[in-house]
Amino acid sequence: MNEIRLHNTLSGKTELFTPQTPGEVKMYTCGPTVYDFAHIGNFRTFIFQDILRRFLKLRGFKLNHVMNLTDVDDRIIANAAAAKIGIREYTEKYAQAFFDDCKTLSVEAPEHWIRATDHIPEMVRLIERLQKKSFTYDGEGSIYYRIAKFPEYGKLSKIDLTGIQSGARVDNDRYEKESARDFALWKAPKEGEHFWETEIGKGRPGWHIECSAMAMKYLGETLDIHTGGIDLAFPHHENEIAQSEGATGKQFSRYWLHAEHLLVEGEKMSKSLGNFYTLRDLFGKGHKPSSLRFALASVPYRRQLNFTFDGLQQAASSIERLRTFSDRLKQGKFPAGSNPAMAGRVAKADNDFDAGLSEDLNTAIALAAIFDFVREANIAMDKGEFKQGEVAAALELLGNFERVFAIIQDDDAAKLKALGFGAAEGEIGDAEVEKLVAERNAARARRDFATSDRVRKELADRGIILEDSRDGGVRWKRK
Ligand code: AMP
Ligand code: ZN
């Protein structure tokens, strides 16, 4: 097995990965802000962290992974106040939608899935610790973090702090590098806004304190890995470091991993450009969950990903190739014996796959390892050179691949149905397709070709394409 190396934003280098406790990884991921449906850009980042956790598990690490839902921030407070409902009521719908989206894209549940609003006392405690160490000051009922008191401020995002006026402050949760200032840990309530009554006064937490308090509660004062999208490095993660290290005097996270952004057809995704997509928008256009997962996972996380509809189609046909190969392998109609050259080929693919992911999670190399192998193995099968002896090792290779990429299992239809995109009236359901396919197989077996052709035509009329493999198996798919 290969050494695992990860790019650490903190050092700016790709480093050997070693957790604090051998065999165990403490990892924190900034989850979504549940003020709306998540978009495919958000899922670029969530699929990156999913591939990371799945790969670490494949390599035998025990994961302790926390992901939060930010269910209180400026936008949520403002939208809930405008709708005249409580923030829990406002966010519930989007929180549920996020969980459903994760299931649909096979994003594994982390060990702890937590909400910011369930952790207000922990945030208050952390602010009190910072108050005791004079990292804070008050202003009009709010509490601010004094960045001049933390000389290492800027070490993650490498911002230049010269010229920043001490005492100048910013109240917004999200702001640009140019407005690096003292930021709000606790915000005084405004008229009509949700607030909590606490030991440090009435108000609500700033966004940044949420993640520091929650991460340290579940993972201890020093994490192994902290992940998020690149836009979170400043100010969110910089402020998490200032808060946590200010309070504890210890390093907050040893590795910081950031995913580059997703663009759509070369442009930043935005509602005004009309290129802004949620998962549901794509499923509504007939795209499959597995195609989206594959398209989002296929570009290494530190490269910008240019999402295109062409790319999504290509993802769908790549997946078909893998599923067809997997079926061919499982049907197992190969000559007895073993072929040492092919055994070596399987071992090489296994190593290349691991080497790709070990080198800062290079999914492109890992995928190439699998697809090259599939191409060569298919050729060998056609020539009768792929023997029974290699089936188990090849299945194990695909199994390892599937544990990380999770796209071979063909459960798209069921997932879509669960999200409300199931077979519409008049459309054929999976069970009925299976029944008709079995009928056709039986007809063919008794050489009743009239019946088998009729069933094939009926299926085609109802949008189902049948593919007969060389080995006598049959696969079906929707047009
Ligand atoms: P948010 O809900 O805005 O806090 O974002 C949730 C996650 O999605 C964060 O890790 C963001 O950095 C990430 N994110 C937001 N926009 C994009 C994008 N276009 N591409 C990739 N990741 C993104
Ligand atoms: Zn966060």
Side-chain angles (χ1 to χ4, degrees):
M1 273 195 279
N2 301 277
E3 281 182 341
I4 298 177
R5 289 158 39 84
L6 299 173
H7 183 270
N8 190 347
T9 311
L10 194 59
S11 64
K13 296 194 179 107
T14 303
E15 299 172 16
L16 178 68
F17 173 68
T18 46
Q20 300 162 87
T21 310
E24 206 181 305
V25 179
K26 299 181 179 72
M27 173 159 139
Y28 186 87
T29 296
C30 291
T33 307
V34 281
Y35 77 106
D36 204 342
F37 291 102
H39 55 67
I40 55 172
N42 299 135
F43 271 96
R44 197 269 149 126
T45 294
F46 296 130
I47 283 182
F48 139 65
Q49 61 78 26
D50 185 57
I51 298 272
L52 175 62
R53 63 166 276 135
R54 284 168 172 272
F55 175 57
L56 292 172
K57 277 173 57 184
L58 179 67
R59 287 287 299 258
F61 289 101
K62 186 169 167 285
L63 259 276
N64 190 2
H65 181 198
V66 178
M67 179 141 126
N68 74 299
L69 293 185
T70 294
D71 60 352
V72 49
D73 90 328
D74 292 343
R75 293 175 290 187
I76 290 170
I77 293 266
N79 291 3
K84 294 200 169 31
I85 53 175
I87 57 170
R88 196 77 180 215
E89 194 184 339
Y90 178 77
T91 56
E92 194 54 35
K93 167 177 161 192
Y94 300 115
Q96 275 314 320
F98 180 70
F99 293 141
D100 291 345
D101 286 354
C102 283
K103 263 200 204 135
T104 308
L105 285 192
S106 301
V107 170
E108 269 189 352
E111 282 62 34
H112 300 278
W113 222 332
I114 56 173
R115 286 170 193 249
T117 52
D118 290 335
H119 296 83
I120 304 293
E122 285 83 355
M123 298 173 203
V124 169
R125 284 305 92 68
L126 184 56
I127 295 172
E128 286 174 331
R129 275 175 90 177
L130 289 166
Q131 284 177 321
K132 283 202 194 87
K133 294 175 103 178
S134 309
F135 279 98
T136 71
Y137 61 91
D138 298 346
E140 286 113 47
S142 296
I143 303 172
Y144 295 90
Y145 187 99
R146 192 190 301 280
I147 59 174
K149 182 87 178 29
F150 188 70
E152 292 177 73
Y153 191 87
K155 67 180 174 182
L156 180 73
S157 53
K158 326 282 186 266
I159 55 165
D160 178 8
L161 287 170
T162 48
I164 287 184
Q165 212 190 327
S166 180
R169 55 198 206 210
V170 53
D171 282 289
N172 297 345
D173 282 335
R174 297 186 189 234
Y175 51 89
E176 301 297 321
K177 282 190 183 176
E178 299 70 56
S179 38
R181 306 259 193 290
D182 292 347
F183 58 92
L185 296 164
W186 187 255
K187 303 190 191 193
K190 294 200 191 101
E191 189 61 32
E193 283 185 356
H194 188 98
F195 65 88
W196 282 265
E197 191 86 62
T198 73
E199 294 88 332
I200 55 172
K202 274 186 195 165
R204 61 175 177 99
W207 173 35
H208 319 295
I209 199 73
E210 298 176 8
C211 287
S212 286
M214 291 186 284
M216 293 199 287
K217 170 173 178 175
Y218 292 92
L219 301 173
E221 294 182 342
T222 301
L223 330 177
D224 291 309
I225 304 178
H226 195 311
T227 70
I230 190 68
D231 59 311
L232 297 194
F234 186 87
H236 187 51
H237 293 161
E238 197 70 70
N239 292 352
E240 281 187 37
I241 291 177
Q243 296 162 158
S244 307
E245 299 190 1
T248 68
K250 295 182 192 152
Q251 180 167 30
F252 177 45
S253 179
R254 297 167 61 242
Y255 299 83
W256 288 86
L257 271 59
H258 291 105
E260 279 296 333
H261 267 187
L262 171 142
L263 303 176
V264 174
E265 309 277 356
E267 295 193 86
K268 192 169 184 262
M269 198 169 23
S270 85
K271 291 203 166 137
S272 59
L273 288 174
N275 67 356
F276 183 96
Y277 300 111
T278 65
L279 271 57
R280 286 145 217 258
D281 295 333
L282 298 181
F283 301 150
K285 288 173 185 286
H287 297 287
K288 293 181 187 173
S290 58
S291 315
L292 185 57
R293 182 175 168 93
F294 185 98
L296 295 179
S298 58
V299 175
Y301 77 97
R302 283 206 313 120
R303 265 191 240 150
Q304 267 191 351
L305 187 158
N306 187 22
F307 175 86
T308 64
F309 283 93
D310 261 3
L312 205 52
Q313 292 297 351
Q314 279 167 29
S317 50
S318 300
I319 292 170
E320 275 307 306
R321 215 174 313 144
L322 281 181
R323 288 179 178 174
T324 308
F325 179 75
S326 166
D327 285 351
R328 192 173 188 188
L329 206 50
K330 282 185 195 145
Q331 282 157 12
K333 293 180 181 156
F334 307 109
S338 179
N339 173 350
M342 187 46 67
R345 187 62 193 84
V346 178
K348 178 180 178 330
D350 218 4
N351 180 61
D352 291 351
F353 175 71
D354 182 72
L357 291 177
S358 296
E359 189 56 28
D360 197 24
L361 224 58
N362 194 322
T363 48
I365 292 182
L367 286 168
I370 297 300
F371 280 98
D372 287 350
F373 166 72
V374 167
R375 197 186 57 246
E376 290 172 35
N378 266 324
I379 294 171
M381 287 175 183
D382 293 346
K383 291 186 186 160
E385 290 169 5
F386 191 99
K387 305 275 173 66
Q388 284 292 347
E390 278 65 65
V391 171
L395 281 174
E396 193 182 324
L397 170 66
L398 285 198
N400 287 345
F401 169 82
E402 182 69 353
R403 280 167 69 187
V404 179
F405 280 87
I407 46 167
I408 297 179
Q409 190 188 339
D410 191 352
D411 52 6
D412 285 310
K415 284 170 161 173
L416 287 172
K417 201 158 180 204
L419 269 196
F421 292 95
E425 218 170 318
E427 261 183 48
I428 186 162
D430 289 6
E432 200 181 343
V433 178
E434 299 288 358
K435 195 172 129 266
L436 287 167
V437 169
E439 240 175 64
R440 177 172 170 269
N441 287 346
R444 286 205 316 167
R446 59 175 191 269
R447 307 189 67 79
D448 174 1
F449 296 116
T451 303
S452 79
D453 286 349
R454 183 184 49 70
V455 176
R456 175 191 270 276
K457 178 157 185 328
E458 178 184 345
L459 285 166
D461 291 346
R462 299 177 75 181
I464 304 298
I465 302 171
L466 298 183
E467 284 168 0
D468 295 319
S469 75
R470 278 173 228 264
D471 315 309
V474 180
R475 284 177 45 77
W476 62 267
K477 60 182 184 187
R478 293 178 193 278
K479 265 186 214 162

